[in-house]
Amino acid sequence: MNSDFTLAIHSLTFLALQPDRMSTSDAISASACVHPVRIRKVLSLLKKHGFIKSKEGPGGGFLFALELNEVNLWDIYKITSEGALQPKCPDSNERCIVGANMQRVLFSIFLGAEEHLGEYLKDYTLKEIIDLVNQEE
């Protein structure tokens, strides 16, 4: 899993909590304590996949585009991190039984782990994330 996943959740939550006004990438980056360029990269990905809308120019910014219950964490994971759990195996000695098979074995295990992670993440919608954030107030 990479930081784009958490930044995407952060950005969507920030936007969803302000449904009636445009938010800038600077405001979101200040909330997440990251450089605005990092947030813009994530926002571009979210816009491409229809999670948010944007308006350029003065008074422009970003808006959450869906219903809170329509977005689950697996949806976000798939566009930001799918395959991130796959092990990075170095080139191995193909004449060794371990070296010849380790990448295939680990890939299979971690593919299964990612499928289980997906089933778990599907249970959490953006609405539930917002509810959990609001509990901390």
Side-chain angles (χ1 to χ4, degrees):
M1 183 171 321
N2 61 41
S3 62
D4 286 353
F5 176 65
T6 56
L7 290 174
I9 296 167
H10 190 115
S11 299
L12 290 171
T13 303
F14 186 93
L15 293 171
L17 285 171
Q18 302 180 62
D20 298 327
R21 85 180 167 154
M22 300 292 259
S23 295
T24 65
S25 57
D26 288 337
I28 299 167
S29 68
S31 173
C33 292
V34 297
H35 196 279
V37 172
R38 290 279 328 276
I39 288 294
R40 285 185 205 111
K41 176 185 169 230
V42 171
L43 293 172
S44 175
L45 190 61
L46 294 171
K47 181 180 176 190
K48 176 182 173 185
H49 290 277
F51 291 96
I52 62 174
K53 296 177 185 175
S54 68
K55 178 185 170 197
E56 295 184 22
F62 299 89
L63 287 171
F64 185 70
L66 303 170
E67 295 296 320
L68 296 177
N69 286 323
E70 290 181 307
V71 179
N72 65 53
L73 296 188
W74 181 238
D75 296 330
I76 301 166
Y77 180 89
K78 287 187 299 186
I79 67 164
T80 60
S81 304
E82 191 166 33
L85 293 182
Q86 293 175 12
K88 312 295 186 257
C89 295
D91 290 335
S92 299
N93 181 350
E94 293 295 318
R95 292 177 285 165
C96 170
I97 191 165
V98 176
N101 292 289
M102 189 55 58
Q103 184 171 1
R104 174 187 56 80
V105 169
L106 290 178
F107 181 82
S108 175
I109 291 168
F110 281 87
L111 184 62
E114 194 167 59
E115 289 170 1
H116 286 289
L117 176 63
E119 290 305 313
Y120 184 78
L121 292 177
K122 285 177 188 176
D123 289 338
Y124 290 91
T125 66
L126 197 59
K127 167 133 180 34
E128 290 163 312
I129 297 301
I130 288 170
D131 290 345
L132 291 168
V133 166
N134 285 330
Q135 283 180 0
E136 297 301 316
E137 289 184 350

